[in-house]
Amino acid sequence: MAHHGRVILPNSIQASDGTSLAYHLTAGPGRPILLVHGFGSDAFTNWMISGWVRSLQSVAPDRPVVAVDLRGHGRSSRPLDPAKYRVRTMVADLQAVLAAAIPEGGSFDAVGYSLGARLVTELAATLAANVYPNRGPEFSIRRMVLGGSDGGPLLQGIDTAALKLSLASGALPEDPETARVFGIANALPTNDPAALIALVQGLSADPTLARRAPDPQRRVLLAVGTEDLYLPTARLWAAQLNAASVATIPGRDHLTAVPAGVFRRVAAEFLN
């Protein structure tokens, strides 16, 4: 494995359905930190060039960081079949990456943003239920940072037919939320919009995302931009959870919160 500073360049494994899953890993003997990006991003953009890995290592240099490229994103495979995108499948992907990156198992912390935050909560519920693919190493989550999330349903009401038409024509969908999703799918030059639209088709039809996220039952920090429409409902969700607090990111909205220095700082302090 080639090193770039303290960062090991992408590793990859195969999921049980043959999908290639890429991840970045830093070395260290401490408690690992799992990073899960949101829809339309990737590990490099979301966590590395934004300064997240550097900030986490400056506070706790002994802690390994595992930054995943979700299927359909980054260097991971990009299936065009919507059936390849289900919450259970993507949670199993996270478990498979953890097992490869941290074969001894054990306790870890997790940071997720937007869709990544929802997947982290579903991962916590899966681990609490003692569900392990192929009985691999066992893990438990100690603390979680959930960014840009209010725990509510995701990708509901998206006009997936309009997304496919827009993919063919290049014209924005008329529905504002569908247009927003289409814009995110096309935001990065490295994105594959067809794969991301397949992901939206698959996840929007998954009944898991039509429900509220499960209570993580762990120490949780919710981090939301002051200009993010999720902020009021995130505060309500925090009040309903057993051990949650809210950190606001001044002047940032849902799409601009991730690289904010205050976000990185409060997350690193919370996890350490």
Side-chain angles (χ1 to χ4, degrees):
M1 292 181 289
H3 290 258
H4 177 67
R6 294 179 57 85
V7 177
I8 300 176
L9 293 177
N11 301 268
S12 66
I13 59 168
Q14 277 201 336
S16 59
D17 65 355
T19 299
S20 177
L21 304 172
Y23 63 96
H24 299 258
L25 175 68
T26 69
R31 178 181 284 108
I33 304 172
L34 174 69
L35 304 179
V36 187
H37 64 79
F39 170 70
S41 188
D42 55 45
F44 184 74
T45 303
N46 213 103
W47 306 119
M48 298 175 70
I49 63 174
S50 65
W52 269 86
V53 173
R54 183 174 62 251
S55 293
L56 292 171
Q57 290 187 325
S58 68
V59 174
D62 66 320
R63 299 189 65 179
V65 176
V66 185
V68 182
D69 278 339
L70 295 172
R71 60 174 57 209
H73 298 77
R75 293 173 180 260
S76 291
S77 293
R78 303 173 175 194
L80 298 179
D81 179 1
K84 292 282 189 177
Y85 299 99
R86 295 287 188 266
V87 171
R88 180 180 296 179
T89 304
M90 297 180 77
V91 168
D93 289 348
L94 298 179
Q95 291 177 274
V97 168
L98 284 168
I102 315 160
E104 65 273 18
S107 171
F108 68 97
D109 292 337
V111 183
Y113 194 80
S114 195
L115 173 60
R118 180 56 184 265
L119 292 175
V120 166
T121 63
E122 299 292 342
L123 173 64
T126 299
L127 295 178
N130 200 33
V131 177
Y132 295 91
N134 305 316
R135 297 312 306 176
E138 297 195 358
F139 293 93
S140 62
I141 296 182
R142 184 190 66 133
R143 289 189 172 196
M144 302 162 59
V145 177
L146 306 178
S149 177
D150 64 355
L154 282 182
L155 298 176
Q156 302 304 297
I158 301 298
D159 188 341
T160 56
L163 281 178
K164 294 181 71 175
L165 287 173
S166 292
L167 181 64
S169 69
L172 281 177
E174 292 184 4
D175 173 65
E177 184 61 15
T178 303
R180 187 182 74 86
V181 169
F182 184 74
I184 295 172
N186 287 273
L188 294 181
T190 53
N191 281 355
D192 181 344
L196 293 176
I197 288 171
L199 178 147
V200 173
Q201 288 179 281
L203 290 183
S204 64
D206 189 326
T208 301
L209 285 190
R211 301 190 293 266
R212 176 159 289 281
D215 186 335
Q217 298 184 351
R218 297 290 184 272
R219 286 288 305 280
V220 175
L221 176 68
L222 302 181
V224 186
T226 56
E227 308 308 309
D228 193 331
L229 298 178
Y230 283 136
L231 181 57
T233 46
R235 284 179 165 142
L236 290 174
W237 189 36
Q240 297 165 3
L241 299 177
N242 291 324
S245 56
V246 178
T248 55
I249 307 164
R252 301 299 180 107
D253 61 19
H254 194 76
L255 295 180
T256 60
V258 169
V262 64
F263 187 8
R264 303 196 309 269
R265 184 172 64 254
V266 297
E269 291 172 353
F270 175 76
L271 296 180
N272 292 288

